Amino acid sequence: MDVHVDRDRCLGAGMCALTAPRVFDQDEEEGLVVLLDARPPEEQRAAVRVAAGVCPASVITLTQDGSSPAS
Amino acid sequence: MQHEPSTRPDTARTLAAGEPADAAAPVTLPTGRSAGCPFDPPAGLAELREERPLARMTYPDGHVGWLATGWSTVRSIMGDSRFSSRYELMHYPLPGGPEGPLPPAPLGDMTGMDAPEHTRFRRILTGKFTVRRMRQLSDRVAEITAEHLDAMERGGPGVDLVEAFARPLPALMICELLGVPYADRERFQGHAHTIMSMDVTPEERYGAFVGLQEYMAELVAAKRAAPADDLLGDLARDSDLTDEELVGIGGFLLAAGLDTTANMIAHGTFALLTEPAQADALRADPELAPQAVEELMRYLTVAHTSVKSALVDVELDGLVVKAGESVTLSLEAANRDPERFPGPDVLDLHRKATGHLGFGHGIHQCLGQQLARVELTVALPALLRRFPTLRLDVPAEEVPLRTDMSIYGVHRLPVTWDEV
């Protein structure tokens, strides 16, 4: 699983940092998403999927094998 | 529902092939709650959600727009920039509201703005409400919680929990965070209450708004002169906000922080006291608190509705919402959608209520949600653990409900306990 974030459209709601804190953080200044791990290990992936699902601005996208969209 | 084509306003829409004729019949927003079920949304919403999660709705001003009740429909509209939040485009969904279009959002009122104006304000504020910053306030929340629980214990059994605990805790926290003197609360709490009331005249609401702005203008002038180390001080020093914008933002954040969490604490306690097994589960397992808070947010949904207006024609659920039409989003109906939350009318603190819309969704999702989470996660278990025998002091049906306020909850919550 590859994780991508679009900081330009991020709202800083913090749902990702709340849901998957090992993979996402917020920067100190603007509170926008910071990706800590673009290829999270197996045990983090469920939380990452939830984080992508609850992001209010839908700025987290997941792909598999670097290309095809992950379900 | 009776079909009365001769008297119904024109729905400006033709029926699709195979669509039952009754689907075009506009409804009005169900608002009546049954006294026996203070936690359940008004009757009629569930039926509507099942039959037509996006339904034609007649607004009190005669506008024929829409009512969305299904979780996926509500959520998709909240996340769709083709729908505007600007007040001046909105038709008011509740009786007794203003006739005709509303005035535009006052400077600083982020709720009534779209991008890019909204984005500018939001960007200035998001860094101040991050998960990490709000968690750093946990110790202070715990301190204030303990002080108020101590005072309750010293006073002996029998208090109004709203007055003794639910209202002061978030008020103190938002005041400290913003840098608003809590001692001034007489000056702003009354205004904030009037703004949130649904049974006041437009003149009264406007007067309260002006009163709150006057208070905030004095405070902002003081912050500009000597910026303190608090949120309003930071904004006065570092941001490019004008005085008027800073006054608007200050009033907006203060009003938003006073009433919302207070009602979640009081109404959440009310719900837990009527479901003692759930209260016991929370007492027994501190680890359950974050999940319990999400479930209470879903189950209670103290902010009921949001209204958006289509900027262009939008096709949704096989229907077309035309440009200019308002859609009332029933967050409480969406949060009880059985397709998203099985057995939705049961309060189950062990449920994963992820994805609830209690804080909204999309660009307007609650800015203060992480602060609310910290306050609720600390306050509710602490209250239950300090008073293991906490119970209602009046029959549940006598607890006065806030059916007259835009944030639902209780006006008073008389509780008592056994002295140890």
Side-chain angles (χ1 to χ4, degrees), chain B residues 310-334:
Chain B
L311 293 168
V312 295
D313 291 2
V314 180
E315 198 183 326
L316 261 178
D317 297 357
L319 300 166
V320 177
V321 177
K322 290 196 177 297
E325 291 182 335
S326 285
V327 188
T328 296
L329 310 174
S330 175
L331 305 182
E332 52 184 346

mmCIF file with all atom_site columns, all heavy atoms in Angstrom, chain B residues 310-334:
data_model
loop_
_atom_site.group_PDB
_atom_site.id
_atom_site.type_symbol
_atom_site.label_atom_id
_atom_site.label_alt_id
_atom_site.label_comp_id
_atom_site.label_asym_id
_atom_site.label_entity_id
_atom_site.label_seq_id
_atom_site.pdbx_PDB_ins_code
_atom_site.Cartn_x
_atom_site.Cartn_y
_atom_site.Cartn_z
_atom_site.occupancy
_atom_site.B_iso_or_equiv
_atom_site.pdbx_formal_charge
_atom_site.auth_seq_id
_atom_site.auth_comp_id
_atom_site.auth_asym_id
_atom_site.auth_atom_id
_atom_site.pdbx_PDB_model_num
ATOM 1   N N   . ALA B 1 310 ? -27.598 24.553 -3.723  1.00 0.00 ? 310 ALA B N   1
ATOM 2   C CA  . ALA B 1 310 ? -26.895 24.131 -4.940  1.00 0.00 ? 310 ALA B CA  1
ATOM 3   C C   . ALA B 1 310 ? -26.501 25.351 -5.768  1.00 0.00 ? 310 ALA B C   1
ATOM 4   O O   . ALA B 1 310 ? -27.310 26.244 -5.997  1.00 0.00 ? 310 ALA B O   1
ATOM 5   C CB  . ALA B 1 310 ? -27.787 23.204 -5.752  1.00 0.00 ? 310 ALA B CB  1
ATOM 6   N N   . LEU B 1 311 ? -25.234 25.389 -6.198  1.00 0.00 ? 311 LEU B N   1
ATOM 7   C CA  . LEU B 1 311 ? -24.749 26.481 -7.049  1.00 0.00 ? 311 LEU B CA  1
ATOM 8   C C   . LEU B 1 311 ? -25.024 26.175 -8.517  1.00 0.00 ? 311 LEU B C   1
ATOM 9   O O   . LEU B 1 311 ? -25.152 27.079 -9.345  1.00 0.00 ? 311 LEU B O   1
ATOM 10  C CB  . LEU B 1 311 ? -23.245 26.678 -6.840  1.00 0.00 ? 311 LEU B CB  1
ATOM 11  C CG  . LEU B 1 311 ? -22.834 27.195 -5.453  1.00 0.00 ? 311 LEU B CG  1
ATOM 12  C CD1 . LEU B 1 311 ? -21.331 27.073 -5.254  1.00 0.00 ? 311 LEU B CD1 1
ATOM 13  C CD2 . LEU B 1 311 ? -23.280 28.636 -5.268  1.00 0.00 ? 311 LEU B CD2 1
ATOM 14  N N   . VAL B 1 312 ? -25.067 24.890 -8.848  1.00 0.00 ? 312 VAL B N   1
ATOM 15  C CA  . VAL B 1 312 ? -25.366 24.425 -10.207 1.00 0.00 ? 312 VAL B CA  1
ATOM 16  C C   . VAL B 1 312 ? -26.314 23.236 -10.078 1.00 0.00 ? 312 VAL B C   1
ATOM 17  O O   . VAL B 1 312 ? -26.542 22.751 -8.972  1.00 0.00 ? 312 VAL B O   1
ATOM 18  C CB  . VAL B 1 312 ? -24.076 23.972 -10.952 1.00 0.00 ? 312 VAL B CB  1
ATOM 19  C CG1 . VAL B 1 312 ? -23.143 25.147 -11.165 1.00 0.00 ? 312 VAL B CG1 1
ATOM 20  C CG2 . VAL B 1 312 ? -23.372 22.856 -10.174 1.00 0.00 ? 312 VAL B CG2 1
ATOM 21  N N   . ASP B 1 313 ? -26.864 22.773 -11.183 1.00 0.00 ? 313 ASP B N   1
ATOM 22  C CA  . ASP B 1 313 ? -27.681 21.562 -11.125 1.00 0.00 ? 313 ASP B CA  1
ATOM 23  C C   . ASP B 1 313 ? -26.785 20.390 -10.724 1.00 0.00 ? 313 ASP B C   1
ATOM 24  O O   . ASP B 1 313 ? -25.710 20.207 -11.294 1.00 0.00 ? 313 ASP B O   1
ATOM 25  C CB  . ASP B 1 313 ? -28.301 21.267 -12.498 1.00 0.00 ? 313 ASP B CB  1
ATOM 26  C CG  . ASP B 1 313 ? -29.362 22.295 -12.890 1.00 0.00 ? 313 ASP B CG  1
ATOM 27  O OD1 . ASP B 1 313 ? -29.581 23.251 -12.106 1.00 0.00 ? 313 ASP B OD1 1
ATOM 28  O OD2 . ASP B 1 313 ? -29.964 22.140 -13.963 1.00 0.00 ? 313 ASP B OD2 1
ATOM 29  N N   . VAL B 1 314 ? -27.231 19.614 -9.751  1.00 0.00 ? 314 VAL B N   1
ATOM 30  C CA  . VAL B 1 314 ? -26.435 18.476 -9.280  1.00 0.00 ? 314 VAL B CA  1
ATOM 31  C C   . VAL B 1 314 ? -27.304 17.222 -9.315  1.00 0.00 ? 314 VAL B C   1
ATOM 32  O O   . VAL B 1 314 ? -28.407 17.217 -8.755  1.00 0.00 ? 314 VAL B O   1
ATOM 33  C CB  . VAL B 1 314 ? -25.932 18.687 -7.837  1.00 0.00 ? 314 VAL B CB  1
ATOM 34  C CG1 . VAL B 1 314 ? -25.115 17.488 -7.369  1.00 0.00 ? 314 VAL B CG1 1
ATOM 35  C CG2 . VAL B 1 314 ? -25.100 19.960 -7.722  1.00 0.00 ? 314 VAL B CG2 1
ATOM 36  N N   . GLU B 1 315 ? -26.810 16.178 -9.944  1.00 0.00 ? 315 GLU B N   1
ATOM 37  C CA  . GLU B 1 315 ? -27.548 14.920 -9.943  1.00 0.00 ? 315 GLU B CA  1
ATOM 38  C C   . GLU B 1 315 ? -27.107 14.089 -8.746  1.00 0.00 ? 315 GLU B C   1
ATOM 39  O O   . GLU B 1 315 ? -25.921 13.900 -8.496  1.00 0.00 ? 315 GLU B O   1
ATOM 40  C CB  . GLU B 1 315 ? -27.297 14.150 -11.241 1.00 0.00 ? 315 GLU B CB  1
ATOM 41  C CG  . GLU B 1 315 ? -28.358 13.084 -11.447 1.00 0.00 ? 315 GLU B CG  1
ATOM 42  C CD  . GLU B 1 315 ? -28.126 12.245 -12.686 1.00 0.00 ? 315 GLU B CD  1
ATOM 43  O OE1 . GLU B 1 315 ? -27.611 12.797 -13.678 1.00 0.00 ? 315 GLU B OE1 1
ATOM 44  O OE2 . GLU B 1 315 ? -28.448 11.039 -12.634 1.00 0.00 ? 315 GLU B OE2 1
ATOM 45  N N   . LEU B 1 316 ? -28.104 13.626 -7.997  1.00 0.00 ? 316 LEU B N   1
ATOM 46  C CA  . LEU B 1 316 ? -27.830 12.911 -6.753  1.00 0.00 ? 316 LEU B CA  1
ATOM 47  C C   . LEU B 1 316 ? -28.884 11.840 -6.568  1.00 0.00 ? 316 LEU B C   1
ATOM 48  O O   . LEU B 1 316 ? -30.077 12.157 -6.667  1.00 0.00 ? 316 LEU B O   1
ATOM 49  C CB  . LEU B 1 316 ? -27.980 13.867 -5.570  1.00 0.00 ? 316 LEU B CB  1
ATOM 50  C CG  . LEU B 1 316 ? -26.769 14.520 -4.934  1.00 0.00 ? 316 LEU B CG  1
ATOM 51  C CD1 . LEU B 1 316 ? -27.268 15.439 -3.834  1.00 0.00 ? 316 LEU B CD1 1
ATOM 52  C CD2 . LEU B 1 316 ? -25.821 13.496 -4.353  1.00 0.00 ? 316 LEU B CD2 1
ATOM 53  N N   . ASP B 1 317 ? -28.485 10.631 -6.257  1.00 0.00 ? 317 ASP B N   1
ATOM 54  C CA  . ASP B 1 317 ? -29.443 9.554  -6.008  1.00 0.00 ? 317 ASP B CA  1
ATOM 55  C C   . ASP B 1 317 ? -30.478 9.459  -7.138  1.00 0.00 ? 317 ASP B C   1
ATOM 56  O O   . ASP B 1 317 ? -31.654 9.177  -6.896  1.00 0.00 ? 317 ASP B O   1
ATOM 57  C CB  . ASP B 1 317 ? -30.197 9.769  -4.675  1.00 0.00 ? 317 ASP B CB  1
ATOM 58  C CG  . ASP B 1 317 ? -29.269 9.741  -3.468  1.00 0.00 ? 317 ASP B CG  1
ATOM 59  O OD1 . ASP B 1 317 ? -28.059 9.505  -3.669  1.00 0.00 ? 317 ASP B OD1 1
ATOM 60  O OD2 . ASP B 1 317 ? -29.738 9.960  -2.341  1.00 0.00 ? 317 ASP B OD2 1
ATOM 61  N N   . GLY B 1 318 ? -30.083 9.743  -8.369  1.00 0.00 ? 318 GLY B N   1
ATOM 62  C CA  . GLY B 1 318 ? -30.999 9.655  -9.495  1.00 0.00 ? 318 GLY B CA  1
ATOM 63  C C   . GLY B 1 318 ? -31.958 10.830 -9.604  1.00 0.00 ? 318 GLY B C   1
ATOM 64  O O   . GLY B 1 318 ? -32.876 10.811 -10.409 1.00 0.00 ? 318 GLY B O   1
ATOM 65  N N   . LEU B 1 319 ? -31.776 11.863 -8.777  1.00 0.00 ? 319 LEU B N   1
ATOM 66  C CA  . LEU B 1 319 ? -32.630 13.051 -8.824  1.00 0.00 ? 319 LEU B CA  1
ATOM 67  C C   . LEU B 1 319 ? -31.751 14.245 -9.178  1.00 0.00 ? 319 LEU B C   1
ATOM 68  O O   . LEU B 1 319 ? -30.527 14.170 -9.090  1.00 0.00 ? 319 LEU B O   1
ATOM 69  C CB  . LEU B 1 319 ? -33.270 13.284 -7.449  1.00 0.00 ? 319 LEU B CB  1
ATOM 70  C CG  . LEU B 1 319 ? -34.145 12.142 -6.922  1.00 0.00 ? 319 LEU B CG  1
ATOM 71  C CD1 . LEU B 1 319 ? -34.432 12.323 -5.436  1.00 0.00 ? 319 LEU B CD1 1
ATOM 72  C CD2 . LEU B 1 319 ? -35.450 12.077 -7.709  1.00 0.00 ? 319 LEU B CD2 1
ATOM 73  N N   . VAL B 1 320 ? -32.397 15.341 -9.580  1.00 0.00 ? 320 VAL B N   1
ATOM 74  C CA  . VAL B 1 320 ? -31.615 16.537 -9.910  1.00 0.00 ? 320 VAL B CA  1
ATOM 75  C C   . VAL B 1 320 ? -31.965 17.659 -8.939  1.00 0.00 ? 320 VAL B C   1
ATOM 76  O O   . VAL B 1 320 ? -33.114 18.098 -8.875  1.00 0.00 ? 320 VAL B O   1
ATOM 77  C CB  . VAL B 1 320 ? -31.870 17.002 -11.358 1.00 0.00 ? 320 VAL B CB  1
ATOM 78  C CG1 . VAL B 1 320 ? -31.095 18.292 -11.631 1.00 0.00 ? 320 VAL B CG1 1
ATOM 79  C CG2 . VAL B 1 320 ? -31.443 15.910 -12.339 1.00 0.00 ? 320 VAL B CG2 1
ATOM 80  N N   . VAL B 1 321 ? -30.973 18.086 -8.169  1.00 0.00 ? 321 VAL B N   1
ATOM 81  C CA  . VAL B 1 321 ? -31.128 19.270 -7.333  1.00 0.00 ? 321 VAL B CA  1
ATOM 82  C C   . VAL B 1 321 ? -30.731 20.450 -8.197  1.00 0.00 ? 321 VAL B C   1
ATOM 83  O O   . VAL B 1 321 ? -29.598 20.515 -8.684  1.00 0.00 ? 321 VAL B O   1
ATOM 84  C CB  . VAL B 1 321 ? -30.236 19.193 -6.077  1.00 0.00 ? 321 VAL B CB  1
ATOM 85  C CG1 . VAL B 1 321 ? -30.362 20.476 -5.260  1.00 0.00 ? 321 VAL B CG1 1
ATOM 86  C CG2 . VAL B 1 321 ? -30.590 17.975 -5.232  1.00 0.00 ? 321 VAL B CG2 1
ATOM 87  N N   . LYS B 1 322 ? -31.682 21.355 -8.425  1.00 0.00 ? 322 LYS B N   1
ATOM 88  C CA  . LYS B 1 322 ? -31.412 22.448 -9.361  1.00 0.00 ? 322 LYS B CA  1
ATOM 89  C C   . LYS B 1 322 ? -30.678 23.594 -8.676  1.00 0.00 ? 322 LYS B C   1
ATOM 90  O O   . LYS B 1 322 ? -30.819 23.800 -7.461  1.00 0.00 ? 322 LYS B O   1
ATOM 91  C CB  . LYS B 1 322 ? -32.731 22.962 -9.952  1.00 0.00 ? 322 LYS B CB  1
ATOM 92  C CG  . LYS B 1 322 ? -33.380 21.976 -10.897 1.00 0.00 ? 322 LYS B CG  1
ATOM 93  C CD  . LYS B 1 322 ? -34.443 22.665 -11.741 1.00 0.00 ? 322 LYS B CD  1
ATOM 94  C CE  . LYS B 1 322 ? -35.056 21.712 -12.753 1.00 0.00 ? 322 LYS B CE  1
ATOM 95  N NZ  . LYS B 1 322 ? -34.097 21.219 -13.734 1.00 0.00 ? 322 LYS B NZ  1
ATOM 96  N N   . ALA B 1 323 ? -29.916 24.316 -9.478  1.00 0.00 ? 323 ALA B N   1
ATOM 97  C CA  . ALA B 1 323 ? -29.194 25.483 -8.964  1.00 0.00 ? 323 ALA B CA  1
ATOM 98  C C   . ALA B 1 323 ? -30.164 26.397 -8.226  1.00 0.00 ? 323 ALA B C   1
ATOM 99  O O   . ALA B 1 323 ? -31.260 26.657 -8.719  1.00 0.00 ? 323 ALA B O   1
ATOM 100 C CB  . ALA B 1 323 ? -28.540 26.228 -10.126 1.00 0.00 ? 323 ALA B CB  1
ATOM 101 N N   . GLY B 1 324 ? -29.773 26.838 -7.040  1.00 0.00 ? 324 GLY B N   1
ATOM 102 C CA  . GLY B 1 324 ? -30.616 27.745 -6.259  1.00 0.00 ? 324 GLY B CA  1
ATOM 103 C C   . GLY B 1 324 ? -31.480 27.038 -5.230  1.00 0.00 ? 324 GLY B C   1
ATOM 104 O O   . GLY B 1 324 ? -32.034 27.686 -4.345  1.00 0.00 ? 324 GLY B O   1
ATOM 105 N N   . GLU B 1 325 ? -31.598 25.723 -5.348  1.00 0.00 ? 325 GLU B N   1
ATOM 106 C CA  . GLU B 1 325 ? -32.431 25.003 -4.381  1.00 0.00 ? 325 GLU B CA  1
ATOM 107 C C   . GLU B 1 325 ? -31.637 24.690 -3.117  1.00 0.00 ? 325 GLU B C   1
ATOM 108 O O   . GLU B 1 325 ? -30.461 24.322 -3.173  1.00 0.00 ? 325 GLU B O   1
ATOM 109 C CB  . GLU B 1 325 ? -32.963 23.703 -4.999  1.00 0.00 ? 325 GLU B CB  1
ATOM 110 C CG  . GLU B 1 325 ? -33.991 23.975 -6.098  1.00 0.00 ? 325 GLU B CG  1
ATOM 111 C CD  . GLU B 1 325 ? -34.581 22.712 -6.713  1.00 0.00 ? 325 GLU B CD  1
ATOM 112 O OE1 . GLU B 1 325 ? -33.925 21.649 -6.685  1.00 0.00 ? 325 GLU B OE1 1
ATOM 113 O OE2 . GLU B 1 325 ? -35.694 22.792 -7.242  1.00 0.00 ? 325 GLU B OE2 1
ATOM 114 N N   . SER B 1 326 ? -32.297 24.849 -1.971  1.00 0.00 ? 326 SER B N   1
ATOM 115 C CA  . SER B 1 326 ? -31.662 24.535 -0.689  1.00 0.00 ? 326 SER B CA  1
ATOM 116 C C   . SER B 1 326 ? -31.894 23.070 -0.326  1.00 0.00 ? 326 SER B C   1
ATOM 117 O O   . SER B 1 326 ? -32.946 22.517 -0.628  1.00 0.00 ? 326 SER B O   1
ATOM 118 C CB  . SER B 1 326 ? -32.223 25.415 0.431   1.00 0.00 ? 326 SER B CB  1
ATOM 119 O OG  . SER B 1 326 ? -31.705 26.722 0.342   1.00 0.00 ? 326 SER B OG  1
ATOM 120 N N   . VAL B 1 327 ? -30.910 22.485 0.323   1.00 0.00 ? 327 VAL B N   1
ATOM 121 C CA  . VAL B 1 327 ? -31.037 21.124 0.837   1.00 0.00 ? 327 VAL B CA  1
ATOM 122 C C   . VAL B 1 327 ? -30.787 21.164 2.337   1.00 0.00 ? 327 VAL B C   1
ATOM 123 O O   . VAL B 1 327 ? -29.727 21.615 2.781   1.00 0.00 ? 327 VAL B O   1
ATOM 124 C CB  . VAL B 1 327 ? -30.016 20.160 0.204   1.00 0.00 ? 327 VAL B CB  1
ATOM 125 C CG1 . VAL B 1 327 ? -30.320 18.719 0.613   1.00 0.00 ? 327 VAL B CG1 1
ATOM 126 C CG2 . VAL B 1 327 ? -30.001 20.280 -1.309  1.00 0.00 ? 327 VAL B CG2 1
ATOM 127 N N   . THR B 1 328 ? -31.766 20.741 3.100   1.00 0.00 ? 328 THR B N   1
ATOM 128 C CA  . THR B 1 328 ? -31.585 20.623 4.544   1.00 0.00 ? 328 THR B CA  1
ATOM 129 C C   . THR B 1 328 ? -31.016 19.244 4.832   1.00 0.00 ? 328 THR B C   1
ATOM 130 O O   . THR B 1 328 ? -31.576 18.225 4.414   1.00 0.00 ? 328 THR B O   1
ATOM 131 C CB  . THR B 1 328 ? -32.928 20.820 5.276   1.00 0.00 ? 328 THR B CB  1
ATOM 132 O OG1 . THR B 1 328 ? -33.372 22.159 5.039   1.00 0.00 ? 328 THR B OG1 1
ATOM 133 C CG2 . THR B 1 328 ? -32.771 20.605 6.774   1.00 0.00 ? 328 THR B CG2 1
ATOM 134 N N   . LEU B 1 329 ? -29.865 19.225 5.512   1.00 0.00 ? 329 LEU B N   1
ATOM 135 C CA  . LEU B 1 329 ? -29.200 17.963 5.817   1.00 0.00 ? 329 LEU B CA  1
ATOM 136 C C   . LEU B 1 329 ? -29.534 17.589 7.254   1.00 0.00 ? 329 LEU B C   1
ATOM 137 O O   . LEU B 1 329 ? -29.193 18.327 8.179   1.00 0.00 ? 329 LEU B O   1
ATOM 138 C CB  . LEU B 1 329 ? -27.688 18.123 5.664   1.00 0.00 ? 329 LEU B CB  1
ATOM 139 C CG  . LEU B 1 329 ? -27.220 18.763 4.347   1.00 0.00 ? 329 LEU B CG  1
ATOM 140 C CD1 . LEU B 1 329 ? -25.716 18.993 4.393   1.00 0.00 ? 329 LEU B CD1 1
ATOM 141 C CD2 . LEU B 1 329 ? -27.591 17.879 3.176   1.00 0.00 ? 329 LEU B CD2 1
ATOM 142 N N   . SER B 1 330 ? -30.216 16.478 7.437   1.00 0.00 ? 330 SER B N   1
ATOM 143 C CA  . SER B 1 330 ? -30.538 16.043 8.791   1.00 0.00 ? 330 SER B CA  1
ATOM 144 C C   . SER B 1 330 ? -29.414 15.156 9.307   1.00 0.00 ? 330 SER B C   1
ATOM 145 O O   . SER B 1 330 ? -29.338 13.970 9.006   1.00 0.00 ? 330 SER B O   1
ATOM 146 C CB  . SER B 1 330 ? -31.865 15.287 8.819   1.00 0.00 ? 330 SER B CB  1
ATOM 147 O OG  . SER B 1 330 ? -32.074 14.788 10.128  1.00 0.00 ? 330 SER B OG  1
ATOM 148 N N   . LEU B 1 331 ? -28.528 15.762 10.104  1.00 0.00 ? 331 LEU B N   1
ATOM 149 C CA  . LEU B 1 331 ? -27.386 14.997 10.626  1.00 0.00 ? 331 LEU B CA  1
ATOM 150 C C   . LEU B 1 331 ? -27.861 13.919 11.587  1.00 0.00 ? 331 LEU B C   1
ATOM 151 O O   . LEU B 1 331 ? -27.281 12.845 11.673  1.00 0.00 ? 331 LEU B O   1
ATOM 152 C CB  . LEU B 1 331 ? -26.407 15.939 11.330  1.00 0.00 ? 331 LEU B CB  1
ATOM 153 C CG  . LEU B 1 331 ? -25.904 17.120 10.490  1.00 0.00 ? 331 LEU B CG  1
ATOM 154 C CD1 . LEU B 1 331 ? -24.913 17.948 11.291  1.00 0.00 ? 331 LEU B CD1 1
ATOM 155 C CD2 . LEU B 1 331 ? -25.242 16.617 9.221   1.00 0.00 ? 331 LEU B CD2 1
ATOM 156 N N   . GLU B 1 332 ? -28.938 14.224 12.322  1.00 0.00 ? 332 GLU B N   1
ATOM 157 C CA  . GLU B 1 332 ? -29.427 13.247 13.299  1.00 0.00 ? 332 GLU B CA  1
ATOM 158 C C   . GLU B 1 332 ? -30.027 12.033 12.591  1.00 0.00 ? 332 GLU B C   1
ATOM 159 O O   . GLU B 1 332 ? -29.862 10.903 13.054  1.00 0.00 ? 332 GLU B O   1
ATOM 160 C CB  . GLU B 1 332 ? -30.419 13.879 14.273  1.00 0.00 ? 332 GLU B CB  1
ATOM 161 C CG  . GLU B 1 332 ? -31.551 14.619 13.614  1.00 0.00 ? 332 GLU B CG  1
ATOM 162 C CD  . GLU B 1 332 ? -32.476 15.311 14.614  1.00 0.00 ? 332 GLU B CD  1
ATOM 163 O OE1 . GLU B 1 332 ? -32.401 15.004 15.815  1.00 0.00 ? 332 GLU B OE1 1
ATOM 164 O OE2 . GLU B 1 332 ? -33.281 16.147 14.176  1.00 0.00 ? 332 GLU B OE2 1
ATOM 165 N N   . ALA B 1 333 ? -30.703 12.254 11.469  1.00 0.00 ? 333 ALA B N   1
ATOM 166 C CA  . ALA B 1 333 ? -31.243 11.114 10.719  1.00 0.00 ? 333 ALA B CA  1
ATOM 167 C C   . ALA B 1 333 ? -30.096 10.313 10.104  1.00 0.00 ? 333 ALA B C   1
ATOM 168 O O   . ALA B 1 333 ? -30.100 9.074  10.122  1.00 0.00 ? 333 ALA B O   1
ATOM 169 C CB  . ALA B 1 333 ? -32.202 11.589 9.635   1.00 0.00 ? 333 ALA B CB  1
ATOM 170 N N   . ALA B 1 334 ? -29.098 11.015 9.560   1.00 0.00 ? 334 ALA B N   1
ATOM 171 C CA  . ALA B 1 334 ? -27.959 10.334 8.938   1.00 0.00 ? 334 ALA B CA  1
ATOM 172 C C   . ALA B 1 334 ? -27.207 9.473  9.953   1.00 0.00 ? 334 ALA B C   1
ATOM 173 O O   . ALA B 1 334 ? -26.779 8.353  9.649   1.00 0.00 ? 334 ALA B O   1
ATOM 174 C CB  . ALA B 1 334 ? -27.013 11.366 8.327   1.00 0.00 ? 334 ALA B CB  1
#
